[in-house]
Amino acid sequence: EKYVAVDVGNGRPVVFRGSALHMAAMNWKSDEYILQEFGSEPITGVEHHLKETRAGGHVEHMEVMRDFVEAYNASDIYMVSDLPKSMRRDVTFLPCLRCGGFLNFLDTANIWMGRGSSKSVIHYDDQDNINCMFSGQKRFVFMHPSYKEQFEAHPNTKQNRFGWVDTDLDSSIPGYGAFMKVDVDRMDLIQHPGWKDVSWSFVDLFPGDCVYVPYQWYHQVTAVPVRSINVHVWYWRPEYFDTQSCQQKDQIEPSFADCSWGYEPPDLKGYNGHVGVFPSRAVSGSEKQRLTKCKKAKGGKGAKAGKRSDL
């Protein structure tokens, strides 16, 4: 409750070492296992280029998990997909999300999978994010939201000193969304001189680790050159912490499969657009139906707690 209010409401990234070691998703240690258990599961997105440009486009003929697994080790492709339904049983919510109202504002759960060496663009998300590593290793680099005014001034122009582009403002720019159009491997300080004065922090995630990424924190993610799988949950931070929900005797421990998804914040006057709103502030009774809900967990196949099974 106190943590999300720190740093003038910006929150701060937090790493949870070993917090996912007990999850059944730790069994996703081989392609053979993925094919056997989830080969026919539908997937929703595979992109060209391990080094993200936002302009690579989607790979055709990637309909089910098998299509990707049989192709990715010999090609420059990367999966960013809705987490398939049967795989959701193997991932559970961390204790910090199980009360306080977080489970009422779930947006989506995604799986990220590649053969290693993937690199994201520098960007931020509108939602809070908890990202858990189940195979491989990734480095998350963070930059504070206080840079927003500097980073995003004069977007899509040479006057911007950081390479910030916003495709919503100019459809001729290749890609989608807003991001830094820079080479994350070779930063050009002549073309983008603002970066020499930027402070940053980082964390390395290993299998079984999770990291909390607050909304509007700029970040960039790089995978080491080995097979990697991670899953994240995007959710809208509750507008206030629901203390009463934490006093219930029977706290549920749901998996991702036990919850509904797809909450979208309402359009309310004076609302900052980044938090979930409880029905008391809704413009109509329909808002109550838009909240997400979780039922008692059914559980996954299980993993041996405390074992880094894929190292």
Side-chain angles (χ1 to χ4, degrees), residues 118-132:
S118 60
K119 299 174 183 181
S120 78
V121 295
I122 302 169
H123 66 290
Y124 70 80
D125 298 318
D126 286 327
Q127 312 94 321
D128 277 7
N129 170 2
I130 288 185
N131 202 314
C132 294

Side-chain angles (χ1 to χ4, degrees), residues 63-251:
E63 306 295 334
V64 297
M65 185 66 71
R66 182 177 301 279
D67 296 331
F68 174 77
V69 173
E70 292 181 345
Y72 82 109
N73 280 309
S75 58
D76 189 33
I77 62 175
Y78 190 67
M79 181 167 67
V80 184
S81 169
D82 289 341
L83 184 62
K85 289 184 178 179
S86 63
M87 299 182 84
R88 295 186 180 209
R89 295 194 300 267
D90 290 354
V91 186
T92 56
F93 290 94
L94 298 188
C96 60
L97 293 184
R98 293 177 192 165
C99 72
F102 300 97
L103 299 183
N104 291 131
F105 305 112
L106 301 176
D107 184 1
T108 189
N110 289 331
I111 181 172
W112 308 69
M113 184 174 178
R115 62 179 172 86
S117 300
S118 60
K119 299 174 183 181
S120 78
V121 295
I122 302 169
H123 66 290
Y124 70 80
D125 298 318
D126 286 327
Q127 312 94 321
D128 277 7
N129 170 2
I130 288 185
N131 202 314
C132 294
M133 202 82 207
F134 295 110
S135 182
Q137 179 184 337
K138 287 187 174 181
R139 171 166 291 187
F140 287 68
V141 178
F142 301 104
M143 288 137 283
H144 198 277
S146 61
Y147 286 109
K148 184 176 181 65
E149 185 174 346
Q150 297 179 57
F151 279 175
E152 301 181 29
H154 312 293
N156 308 335
T157 71
K158 292 182 179 180
Q159 291 178 276
N160 183 278
R161 302 171 67 244
F162 302 90
W164 183 258
V165 298
D166 188 337
T167 62
D168 289 340
L169 300 177
D170 185 350
S171 59
S172 69
I173 296 175
Y176 60 90
F179 58 97
M180 300 290 185
K181 194 174 183 180
V182 299
D183 187 336
V184 296
D185 290 319
R186 301 177 63 183
M187 183 65 73
D188 187 338
L189 294 179
I190 296 176
Q191 187 175 3
H192 308 298
W195 283 103
K196 65 183 177 64
D197 299 318
V198 174
S199 297
W200 51 276
S201 58
F202 74 92
V203 63
D204 291 327
L205 284 198
F206 301 90
D209 294 339
C210 300
V211 64
Y212 165 61
V213 185
Y215 72 80
Q216 290 201 328
W217 273 75
Y218 299 88
H219 56 281
Q220 188 275 332
V221 186
T222 297
V224 301
V226 297
R227 174 183 182 270
S228 67
I229 300 178
N230 55 295
V231 169
H232 81 195
V233 50
W234 268 330
Y235 62 94
W236 305 91
R237 187 187 305 176
E239 60 176 337
Y240 62 84
F241 190 86
D242 181 11
T243 305
Q244 186 175 358
S245 69
C246 297
Q247 298 172 348
Q248 298 175 2
K249 293 183 179 180
D250 298 325
Q251 290 289 336

Side-chain angles (χ1 to χ4, degrees), residues 21-49:
L21 285 172
H22 68 286
M23 297 185 193
M26 292 299 296
N27 291 322
W28 301 349
K29 56 188 176 182
S30 71
D31 288 348
E32 291 74 20
Y33 183 88
I34 296 291
L35 288 172
Q36 177 182 329
E37 298 295 329
F38 313 114
S40 61
E41 284 292 308
I43 56 176
T44 58
V46 175
E47 299 180 2
H48 290 286
H49 308 317

